[in-house]
DNA sequence: CTAGACAGCGGAGTACGCTCCAAGGTCAAG
DNA sequence: CTTGACCTTGGAGCGTACTCCGCTGTCTAG
């Protein structure tokens, strides 16, 4: 699939896709005319990238994990482990939010922390 | 308190503190010699800033919230409303994370999105 | 054959959140 | 009076993750 279709199907801009290719986050062949030609599995991969990004992973980290997964023989198992890691990250973040929420709730009706 | 002590007590670098002052995230007086002089409540405020930052709020957002708090009429009602707004923001973020967590949980044990 | 959609490339620019540097002023201790 | 810690300013630079731009090439429909 060419870059325009991939952009439409993933909601990632063409410029961003070219940038992702440059940093090795996605890969594609080239058509005889020089146009990029991405395989269909790039679509779920980019959805995964977006998810990972939301969880606070940098593109470099995501690219590195992707490379590790491609090299791993037992990919389903490796992926599950990765997902479980991320779930732990999410849980930690949710716990932080819960703590902040509790702090805020406790302050409702009290004084302002910005004044003396 | 001068900038060095504030840096030590909060773990925020002096350069970062000067940057924060420039963008209006923190405020301080000046001593007769020109040195910055921060009030003690800057310490908990910076801890709050760090918490908010790790939760994904930008410094601009944090500064804006801080400004709203400072400008709010000093009534428990107005302050409570602001805190409740913030709690709603936190709740929304937690809901997003919960959705992501569900998505990840559903993918554990499934195939790899990197291969066809 | 031409218009228009699509693609390519390189490079500049942007926003965020700092960090580092140079050159210099302030102040307490020895 | 000097040393050294501490402070000032302005400006440059950096990493991340893009976005925008101009110019050029490709392909398809009328």
């Amino acid at each position: 699939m060419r870059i325009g279709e991939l952009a439409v199907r993933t909601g990632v801009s063409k410029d961003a896709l070219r940038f992702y290719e440059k940093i090795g986050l996605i890969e594609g062949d080239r058509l005889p005319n020089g146009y990029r030609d991405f395989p269909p599995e790039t679509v779920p991969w980019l959805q995964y990238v977006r998810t990972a990004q939301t969880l606070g992973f940098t593109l470099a980290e995501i690219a590195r994990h992707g490379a590790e997964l491609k090299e791993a023989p037992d990919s389903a198992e490796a992926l599950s482990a990765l997902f479980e890691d991320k779930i732990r990250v999410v849980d930690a973040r949710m716990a932080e939010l819960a703590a902040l929420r509790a702090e805020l709730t406790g302050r409702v009706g009290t004084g302002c922390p910005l004044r003396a």
Side-chain angles (χ1 to χ4, degrees), chain A residues 48-61:
Chain A
Y48 167 84
V49 168
R50 279 288 184 249
T51 303
Q53 247 188 313
T54 311
L55 296 176
F57 293 91
T58 67
L59 294 184
E61 285 171 324

Side-chain angles (χ1 to χ4, degrees), chain A residues 7-76:
Chain A
V8 168
R9 280 169 59 169
T10 58
V12 178
S13 76
K14 289 187 237 176
D15 274 329
L17 290 171
R18 281 188 272 260
F19 175 72
Y20 287 175
E21 191 198 41
K22 198 160 69 187
I23 65 170
L25 190 61
I26 59 175
E27 269 178 60
D29 296 333
R30 291 298 178 121
L31 297 169
N33 60 13
Y35 289 9
R36 287 172 184 82
D37 184 29
F38 295 103
E41 59 264 30
T42 310
V43 174
W45 169 239
L46 282 169
Q47 287 159 0
Y48 167 84
V49 168
R50 279 288 184 249
T51 303
Q53 247 188 313
T54 311
L55 296 176
F57 293 91
T58 67
L59 294 184
E61 285 171 324
I62 301 166
R64 192 167 45 73
H65 289 322
E68 279 165 17
L69 282 174
K70 275 176 197 156
E71 280 159 27
D74 199 344
S75 68

Side-chain angles (χ1 to χ4, degrees), chain A residues 72-95:
Chain A
D74 199 344
S75 68
E77 215 167 280
L79 193 66
S80 290
L82 197 56
F83 282 146
E84 277 156 14
D85 275 356
K86 288 187 185 199
I87 288 167
R88 275 191 286 278
V89 171
V90 172
D91 285 348
R93 209 157 282 215
M94 286 180 78

